[in-house]
Amino acid sequence: MFRNTYDSDNTVFSPQGRLHQVEYALEAVKQGSAAIGLRSKTHAVLLALKRSTGELASYQQKMFRIDDHVGIAIAGLTSDARVLSNFMRQQAMSSKMVFNRPIPVNRLVSSIADKAQVNTQEYGRRPYGVGFLVIGQDNSGPHLYEFSPSGNSYEYYAMSIGARSQSAKTYLEKHYEKFADCSFEDLVRHGLHALRETLQQDKELNVNNTSIGIIGPKSEHEKSETPGGAFRILENEAVEPFLQTMRSKEELKEEERQALDASKAEEATGTAAPAADDDVQMSG
């Protein structure tokens, strides 16, 4: 990224039809540590990589509870995330007070997308420098949404944002078809494998740098009861049982290789059988 004539204000289009200030805000999201979201028919899960500014500092908060049925993971400027998460809580509380019901997840995501869009159009404002993964639950089941500073929001089966998130996306794209029918433990394990892809070479996931956010029924690894499958955040020692279920990269590669060999063998068998029938017909 570099400065040019058209990036001094977010209300000025470049000749190519681009808003450079908005694009710079999207780059700010890529500077944040990775966050990953997945959903099945019964659960929605967030996983995030926490950073520490130094050995004397605690790890940053990467997840926020909005309501019993909604939680978020962030990537980007934490201060901007704090402001937007407070706005989301106000919207959720307003829905309960006015309509006596939890706010629908898609409406909540649309409300922050509308708020962010104003900052891409009005003079003297700057876009928010943070992206969200939002998980929620309503009558139709679990949901996963992505919100970006441009004011766009989309629903996903699985998604990753933040630094080196493309590596995680590649993993998720390979396996996303299995997620819908996954057990909760398998879903979290897939998420941890994807999160591991975003790490630097000399780093490993541990109880200090990993957060897990969950919506859905309680699992066997959780000690506390969660009525109605409300959103909860697991950190520190609570994450350890899930980290123990992870498999090494070598094991995953070997499993992929065996699956590929098996599919090739099936194709070869399927193509060979008709050929034999042809031979029989010809000899007859």
Side-chain angles (χ1 to χ4, degrees):
M1 287 287 181
F2 56 90
R3 285 190 58 81
N4 61 56
T5 314
Y6 300 97
D7 72 351
S8 58
D9 199 341
N10 63 344
T11 62
V12 178
F13 281 97
S14 75
Q16 290 79 34
R18 295 161 62 183
L19 292 170
H20 289 283
Q21 285 292 320
V22 177
E23 291 182 13
Y24 296 165
L26 295 173
E27 287 297 314
V29 176
K30 296 177 185 176
Q31 302 302 316
S33 57
I36 290 170
L38 314 87
R39 69 178 172 95
S40 67
K41 291 177 180 176
T42 57
H43 292 81
V45 176
L46 292 173
L47 302 101
L49 189 65
K50 296 188 288 186
R51 281 181 182 163
S52 174
T53 54
E55 291 185 9
L56 301 178
S58 62
Y59 284 82
Q60 69 179 115
Q61 186 178 359
K62 288 284 289 182
M63 293 187 190
F64 297 89
R65 177 185 171 278
I66 303 303
D67 201 348
D68 287 341
H69 69 301
V70 181
I72 62 172
I74 68 167
L77 296 178
T78 308
S79 53
D80 283 9
R82 199 167 56 244
V83 171
L84 282 172
S85 63
N86 284 337
F87 173 76
M88 292 174 76
R89 289 186 184 118
Q90 289 169 5
Q91 295 294 305
M93 192 183 304
S94 174
S95 176
K96 281 190 176 178
M97 292 180 68
V98 176
F99 301 110
N100 194 29
R101 66 166 187 182
I103 188 169
V105 186
N106 63 338
R107 185 174 300 171
L108 185 59
V109 174
S110 295
S111 70
I112 56 165
D114 292 343
K115 186 176 174 67
Q117 191 278 333
V118 171
N119 285 18
T120 69
Q121 192 172 9
E122 291 189 0
Y123 181 81
R125 294 170 177 259
R126 73 158 173 83
Y128 291 104
V130 68
F132 288 173
L133 290 178
V134 183
I135 59 171
Q137 187 171 248
D138 56 26
N139 294 334
S140 59
H143 297 280
L144 167 67
Y145 291 89
E146 183 211 6
F147 153 80
S148 70
S150 60
N152 288 326
S153 61
Y154 302 97
E155 186 168 9
Y156 287 92
Y157 296 109
M159 185 57 181
S160 66
I161 59 174
R164 293 180 289 280
S165 59
Q166 187 56 51
S167 301
K169 274 184 199 167
T170 303
Y171 178 91
L172 295 172
E173 285 167 358
K174 276 184 185 176
H175 299 92
Y176 81 95
E177 292 177 346
K178 306 173 188 172
F179 296 164
D181 298 315
C182 264
S183 67
F184 170 69
E185 286 74 16
D186 287 343
L187 194 67
V188 173
R189 185 164 66 245
H190 277 301
L192 288 170
H193 288 161
L195 191 62
R196 182 173 60 189
E197 297 294 321
T198 69
L199 291 170
Q200 296 174 0
Q201 292 293 329
D202 58 335
K203 303 288 185 185
E204 287 290 337
L205 294 178
N206 57 55
V207 295
N208 294 319
N209 66 8
T210 308
S211 287
I212 303 176
I214 306 161
I215 278 183
K218 175 179 175 286
S219 77
E220 62 184 37
H221 295 309
E222 294 179 75
K223 295 177 182 177
S224 59
E225 289 294 330
T226 51
F231 179 77
R232 63 269 190 199
I233 299 171
L234 304 183
E235 293 183 314
N236 302 323
E237 283 72 27
V239 175
E240 181 63 29
F242 297 100
L243 294 176
Q244 296 292 339
T245 65
M246 290 179 66
R247 300 165 69 184
S248 68
K249 290 184 178 181
E250 290 73 22
E251 287 178 332
L252 293 176
K253 285 180 182 176
E254 179 63 21
E255 187 179 285
E256 285 181 15
R257 189 185 65 78
Q258 290 177 358
L260 187 63
D261 290 345
S263 64
K264 284 181 179 177
E266 284 180 12
E267 287 177 9
T269 307
T271 52
D277 290 342
D278 290 341
D279 291 341
V280 170
Q281 289 170 6
M282 289 172 67
S283 63

